Structure formats: C-alpha cells, structure tokens
Amino acid sequence: MTTSRLSAALGVLLASALVHTGLAPAAAAAPTGSGHAYRPAAAPAQYLYSSIGDFDTEVKPLIDRPDIAGVQVVVPWKALEPQKDQYDFSKIEEALAYLQARHKKLFVQVQDRFFSAPTRLPSYLLTDPAYAGGAAPTTNENGLGPGEPGAVAAQWNPEVRHRFQSLLEALADRFDGRLAGVNLPETATEVDVAKDRSGYTDESYFRAELDNMAFGAKVFKRTKFIQYVNFWPGEWNNDHGRMAKTFEFAKAHGVGLGGPDVLPNRQAQMENSYPFFERNRGSLPLVAMAVQEPDFEYTNPTTGKPYTKQEFVDFGGRRLGADVMFWATSAPWLHQPAS
C-alpha cells in the first residue's frame, strides 16, 4: 500500500543509536495511577485506514463489518490541489457518499510528506522560485539501514505554509461538519540537511507545525482537527521541551492529537510521545491512534508472538486514551469473521 511508512522503525533505530553512544536521556517515568486515572469510557471506535487510491480495493470489501465505524483515508496534497488554487475534492466526496449510505464516518489525513518517490506535492511548489524548492529531501532511515529517499513539504517557508493553509481553508469550506475528522501526518521526519536548500532547522519546522495546528483548529469548527505527534527532530525525551509544548498548545487551541503507531511499551515511543498521551488522558478534544502496516511486524517480548488485536486496543485505548483507532486493512483480525 502507498500509505506504508517507516517511523516506527526509525524510532527504534534512534533509540539504539543514542544508547550505544551514551547520549540517550533517562527514560521518562510513565505516569502511575495516582493523579492519572484511566479513562473509564467505552473501548475506542475502530476504523479502517487506507490511501484514497486503495478505497475501492481495500476499503469496500471490509466496510460493512458491524465492528467498523468508518474509514480514515490518506490523500496527497497534489491530489487535492492539482494546480494552484484549483482544488479537486471529488475523491473525498465519492468516499463520503459511499460511507454515509452505510452510516459510516470519514476521517481525512492531508499528506504533505512522502517516504519514497514520487513526491506527491503540487508541481508549482516544486518549480516556482517563490517557494524555494517547496520541499526538503528526507533520508528515511530505518532499523535495516537507509530506506528510499523521500521528501517533506517545506512548511517552515512562510510561502509554502500559506499555500498549505489555503488548502486547509478550502477543505473546511467544503467539509466542515461533514467529516468526522481531518488530521495532519506524523511529526517525525529526517531532513537530509546536507542536501537541503530550503533553510530547514529543527526549530523552524517545530514552529511551522504548531502554526498549522492552530490554523486547522480555527477553520474546522465542527469537524475535529488532529495532529499526529510521535517524535520531534533534534529532540529526545523532551530535552528541548517541544513535546510538552505540543500537548499544552493542543489543549489551548482545541486540537486533537494522535499518532501513527501503537507499539506497547516500546522504548523509543515511551521516551517521546507516549508518556504525554498518558498524562493528558481525557484533556484533549480527541485522541486518534493508528495501527499501521509496520506495527504488525513487531512481537510482544513477553509472549514472543505478534501483538494481538486486544493488546493493541488495551494499550492504545486504556493506556494512551485513544477515542478512535485506525487499522491498516492488512490487520489479521479484519480478515476473520466479525465477533
């Protein structure tokens, strides 16, 4: 599937590298029961997760399951804005109509980063000198070594960010109140600074992402707006305070948070976003966690077997406070009869 990504393995690689070099900060203490009561609400709603291009082949065969509440589709920026100021929301409209007829809901992830070629950003961003290249190259290293080079939109360039926020505003004008949620992709990225010509810095990237969060929450008044947060470049274990600031900023601006991986008690995640989800259970407008393709390759160190659906749900919902969980359509339980 075109939606597969590498940040889970990237986090493990970074953790290993920092430990071996003696640079890893001490693990953040996980919150205890005192002062952090578990959310007693019902289990998180279960959704499918797919690229918009795979909707017909991957989503339609599974969507009528009674245990599935809806779908999250990932849509590249270029598909939504094929030419400057010319928006094409037809695929979202088609998916929404199909789901509404079945009393199912739709979340849309607006994708501005790509873990392999081609880079599906609008051509004008990449060619017009006003946007200084429009994107930065990424290395996408993982636990097996270097992956394919990818790219991330240069949101730290104010002109690029203005174009992205124009897209969000156009989406809100069309879909606010009609979609269950709109989310931005994960914060983890590895810009190849040796090849970058866009002026990237870790701090400028961080500030740009917060600006997009605030803008999205402003234009989406009835549809939930969500930012995926897992790692911040140049930070480990909140040693620059960015992770803490993200959660406080989200609460102040009414932004939901989530993440692209549910990996129970994995060191890399436990030293970055996971403790903050635990500490902030019940205080965010929405928490949305995704169980994506790489997550099924991990094994529970206690059992030596792949994580079960229940183990993912217990950790994502009970520990991290997820209200909704998005499942890659390759999840084994989706290919068994609904209970």
Side-chain angles (χ1 to χ4, degrees):
M1 289 177 61
T2 57
T3 49
S4 61
R5 19 152 316 282
L6 302 169
S7 70
L10 170 64
V12 173
L13 176 69
L14 288 172
S16 176
L18 287 170
V19 168
H20 287 306
T21 57
L23 296 177
T32 63
S34 176
H36 297 282
Y38 284 131
R39 180 196 297 260
Q46 310 301 321
Y47 283 69
L48 302 176
Y49 148 81
S50 172
S51 69
I52 190 70
D54 292 331
F55 189 87
D56 288 350
T57 57
E58 302 289 340
V59 170
K60 287 184 178 180
L62 298 171
I63 194 57
D64 289 325
R65 291 178 60 106
D67 50 0
I68 293 298
V71 183
Q72 179 204 46
V73 292
V74 179
V75 189
W77 185 348
K78 185 174 184 176
L80 298 171
E81 189 184 15
Q83 297 184 48
K84 187 175 182 179
D85 287 323
Q86 295 185 17
Y87 300 111
D88 182 357
F89 300 147
S90 59
K91 293 297 183 183
I92 297 178
E93 288 283 11
E94 290 172 12
L96 184 59
Y98 186 87
L99 294 172
Q100 286 179 330
R102 287 157 176 78
H103 307 288
K104 309 281 185 172
K105 297 179 180 180
L106 180 62
F107 283 72
V108 171
Q109 176 169 312
V110 184
Q111 195 72 9
D112 72 335
R113 60 206 61 202
F114 305 94
F115 297 92
S116 61
T119 298
R120 292 173 293 279
L121 295 170
S123 298
Y124 74 85
L125 278 183
L126 306 177
T127 58
D128 189 329
Y131 306 105
T138 55
T139 58
N140 296 337
E141 296 214 349
N142 60 51
L144 301 176
E148 283 189 71
V152 57
Q155 298 282 4
W156 49 93
N157 179 319
E159 297 300 324
V160 173
R161 191 163 69 255
H162 171 70
R163 295 306 313 161
F164 188 70
Q165 292 182 358
S166 295
L167 168 63
L168 294 180
E169 187 168 26
L171 276 168
D173 287 345
R174 183 79 164 262
F175 293 107
D176 189 28
R178 300 174 63 203
L179 297 175
V182 170
N183 77 279
L184 302 185
E186 64 194 87
T187 53
T189 192
E190 282 292 303
V191 169
D192 189 339
V193 292
K195 297 179 180 178
D196 176 50
R197 300 293 180 269
S198 69
Y200 169 88
T201 67
D202 293 341
E203 182 64 17
S204 65
Y205 170 72
F206 172 69
R207 292 184 179 277
E209 295 296 280
L210 293 191
D211 191 52
N212 283 337
M213 288 169 60
F215 186 86
K218 181 179 72 173
V219 295
F220 284 98
K221 298 177 173 61
R222 291 173 293 165
T223 289
K224 297 293 187 184
F225 190 76
I226 305 136
Q227 171 71 60
Y228 275 0
V229 56
N230 48 357
F231 305 94
W232 283 111
E235 175 171 280
W236 199 260
N237 204 5
N238 196 42
D239 59 0
H240 287 72
R242 292 183 181 123
M243 193 64 70
K245 290 176 184 175
T246 302
F247 278 76
E248 292 306 310
F249 189 90
K251 289 189 290 185
H253 289 80
V255 178
L257 294 177
D261 294 300
V262 177
L263 294 172
N265 298 309
R266 287 283 165 171
Q267 180 185 3
Q269 281 77 9
M270 290 303 297
E271 294 186 12
N272 287 281
S273 62
Y274 282 1
F276 290 90
F277 281 108
E278 292 190 80
R279 292 169 187 159
N280 289 280
R281 274 194 310 272
S283 62
L284 292 161
L286 187 81
V287 173
M289 302 299 298
V291 188
Q292 298 185 352
E293 296 88 343
D295 304 345
F296 304 121
E297 299 176 14
Y298 288 84
T299 57
N300 183 331
T302 301
T303 65
K305 298 178 180 179
Y307 289 106
T308 65
K309 176 192 175 185
Q310 194 58 51
E311 287 170 335
F312 281 126
V313 171
D314 285 345
F315 190 82
R318 183 171 169 80
R319 286 285 297 277
L320 304 184
D323 301 290
V324 298
M325 293 180 69
F326 304 125
W327 295 83
T329 55
S330 59
W333 67 270
L334 287 170
H335 301 277
Q336 300 170 359
S339 58

